[in-house]
Each structure stands twice: as structure tokens, then as C-alpha cells.
Amino acid sequence: WYEWNQWELLHGSSIAAVATAPSGPAGTPVPSGSASSAALIAPAKAGDLKSGGNALRAVAVLTLGMESLPDSALLAQAQAEILERFLVDGAKNGDKRQIGWAIKVMERFVKRAPTTLGFVLLQRLVRRHEGIAAARAVFARARRTLRVKEEDMTDEDRKEALAKAAAAEKEGMEEIEEDGTNEDSGDAGRIGGSSHPRLVTNRLKPTVGSSLPAAEGAASPSAHAGFITWHLYAAHATIEHRLSKNPQVAARIFELGLRKHRTFLSTPPYVLHYASLLLELNDEENLRSLLMRAVSACEDDESNAAL
């Protein structure tokens, strides 16, 4: 799907695109005659990576691809990138509605298949167009949505998980009892309250065996969410450090990751990212403490593995 989309973007006929009604994601119409609409169907210029190409057909190909592979971050990012390049760059005065098309693609992806990679890509896109406050909101939402690995769970996390599981089980039992009550009343009306034995049948809900649930929004988002990895904290800290020029906030983000996820301390890339920031801040005391803690954590992991 990705290769097909790239071929359409770079080599597709712009004449064929004219016959296609311009539309954004989920059928959002593109204003006819606008600069962005012309950019979508203009042919590519040699040596100009941001020039035309058949972006309409490329977006359509990626839409079809995501129907087959709904959890593919590559396809979602490619579509958002095309919309950002051809709509946002061609928008006059930074049209928020046109910028929103690219963001909406990634928003739908993290809702459909929440993963650390998806939230990192969404945060970078939001930071470019909506600012640091919106990017921080994405980071906070990712921490609420994504699951914590079992080895990283604290006692509070386990209690919270057990409470959520108990509440979900109670809610499910109440629904079953309600369905049973309704079914019993219906049966009584049909057979006139007689004492005929009830038959156990093989009736299944219409959604059983189907690829999509009947009520997609009814399921808890954490039920199919991915796990939080160190990349989420490292990416947000890098944004705070390099783009917002806030290295102290970045250091607090790294420390938050170590406090909430025990395994991050024995993850070399995460520790090296944090150590590089502390070295840049000339914070030798915390740098030395971090490295000693990391070495100790790695030794503990090795001894536990040996047992």
C-alpha cells in the first residue's frame, strides 16, 4: 500500500485526478478552486520534493490500505504527511481547518490502535501546528490510555487495575442479569406461563465472528491499547528540550519516567538520553547518581535472571 501510494504521488497522472472530486479525510470536501485543491492535482516538478503529484489518489490508496491494516502506523503517518505537505503548506494564513485534516488522521489512528509510536507521531504533529500546550495534552492522554507493563506496576497501579477489572465484571454481570430478565418475561408471554422446560440453544450475537464489534465505542480503550515504552517519555523530553528550550522540564520528564517505570532504569537508550541531558546541564551530581542507579539496576536484573 505504501509503495502504491508513493507511485501515485510521484508519477500518477494529474489528468486522472481532475476527474476525481477533491475531498479530505472521511469525505471532508476540499474547496474547489482553492490553492490547496490545485496543489493536490498538480503534476510533480523535477527536483522539487514539495511540488504536486497526484495527492488525491495517494490519499485514497492509503485510506484503502488502512481499511485492510487499521493498526499500521506507517500508513497513517504517510497520509498525515501528504495532507500536511499539500494542504498546510498551500493554506493561506495557516487555515486551522486544513491543518486539522492531517491531525485528525493521527487522532483516529491512536483511537483505533493506541500505541506509543502513534502517540509520539501525533505529538510531533500537534507540536508543529498547535503549540506546546497541545503537545503536553497528547503526552498526558497517552499516559492515561496506554497500559503499564506488569513489571513496571506499583502497588497503587495494581490496586487501580483490580478495581477497574472488578467494576467491569460487575457491569457485565448486571447486563447479563438484565438480558436474562427481559428474555424470561418474553418467554412467559409466549408460552402463557406454562412449566415447559427451556431449551439451551446455540444462539450467538450478530457480532460474534465479525471483524468489528457492534459498538466500537463501548469497549474500554485500554482493553486493546499497547504498552507504554521509554520512547514516549524520551520523545516528550526532547520536544521540551529542543523545541521549547526548557531543559529543566525535560529533566523532570526523564525522572518521571524512571519513577513510574522501574525497567527504564535498566534500559540503556533511555539512560543515555537522560545522561546526555544532565551532561549538557553540567549537573555532575545527578549524572553520577543516575549512572550508579542504572548499573545497580542492571546488576539486579542479571541476578534475578540467573535465579
Side-chain angles (χ1 to χ4, degrees):
W1 292 106
Y2 181 78
E3 292 297 332
W4 181 8
N5 133 76
Q6 290 296 301
W7 185 89
E8 291 287 359
L9 185 63
L10 299 175
H11 307 292
S13 170
S14 60
I15 298 177
V18 177
T20 307
S23 60
T28 307
V30 176
S32 59
S34 66
S36 57
S37 177
L40 280 171
I41 60 176
K45 297 178 182 177
D48 186 358
L49 296 178
K50 288 190 175 182
S51 65
N54 196 346
L56 279 179
R57 295 174 72 89
V59 168
V61 167
L62 290 170
T63 301
L64 289 174
M66 283 189 286
E67 290 179 3
S68 301
L69 301 169
D71 59 346
S72 174
L74 172 64
L75 298 183
Q77 171 64 9
Q79 189 177 69
E81 205 172 86
I82 292 173
L83 292 171
E84 183 185 21
R85 182 194 305 174
F86 289 98
L87 293 183
V88 176
D89 288 353
K92 293 182 178 179
N93 301 323
D95 190 341
K96 293 292 184 183
R97 182 170 60 87
Q98 294 184 350
I99 292 172
W101 289 345
I103 295 175
K104 193 174 293 183
V105 169
M106 295 308 301
E107 288 277 6
R108 288 172 178 164
F109 173 73
V110 297
K111 185 177 181 181
R112 184 172 64 245
T115 60
T116 294
L117 176 58
F119 275 108
V120 168
L121 294 173
L122 172 62
Q123 187 185 31
R124 290 177 178 176
L125 183 62
V126 167
R127 177 63 181 88
R128 283 199 295 272
H129 300 293
E130 295 187 354
I132 187 59
R136 288 171 179 169
V138 171
F139 174 70
R141 178 152 60 98
R143 292 183 58 219
R144 291 193 304 268
T145 303
L146 299 175
R147 292 181 291 168
V148 179
K149 294 180 180 178
E150 177 65 27
E151 55 268 29
D152 286 335
M153 279 191 170
T154 62
D155 292 337
E156 293 182 359
D157 292 333
R158 289 189 176 90
K159 289 179 181 178
E160 185 178 353
L162 289 174
K164 288 182 179 179
E169 184 178 356
K170 182 179 179 181
E171 183 179 353
M173 291 300 295
E174 289 176 353
E175 290 180 357
I176 292 174
E177 290 175 0
E178 184 180 351
D179 291 343
T181 303
N182 294 338
E183 188 174 334
D184 288 343
S185 61
D187 289 343
R190 284 193 295 272
I191 63 177
S194 64
S195 58
H196 292 299
R198 295 183 61 187
L199 299 178
V200 178
T201 65
N202 260 347
R203 290 181 299 169
L204 298 176
K205 291 184 178 181
T207 56
V208 173
S210 64
S211 58
L212 293 174
E216 189 175 351
S220 172
S222 60
H224 62 281
F227 291 103
I228 295 178
T229 67
W230 65 269
H231 307 82
L232 181 68
Y233 288 85
H236 183 51
T238 301
I239 288 175
E240 293 284 359
H241 182 200
R242 300 300 180 188
L243 298 181
S244 302
K245 309 300 181 184
N246 232 330
Q248 297 296 339
V249 173
R252 290 201 294 269
I253 295 298
F254 277 118
E255 196 60 39
L256 177 66
L258 294 179
R259 195 166 64 247
K260 294 292 186 180
H261 305 271
R262 181 182 63 83
T263 57
F264 286 7
L265 195 55
S266 56
T267 304
Y270 187 81
V271 173
L272 290 176
H273 275 78
Y274 189 12
S276 176
L277 174 62
L278 293 175
L279 187 62
E280 191 172 327
L281 292 174
N282 292 321
D283 191 347
E284 296 181 2
E285 182 178 352
N286 283 325
L287 174 60
R288 189 178 295 110
S289 173
L290 170 67
L291 296 178
M292 291 177 64
R293 288 159 57 198
V295 170
S296 176
C298 290
E299 289 176 349
D300 290 343
D301 287 348
E302 288 180 0
S303 61
N304 292 335
L307 295 176

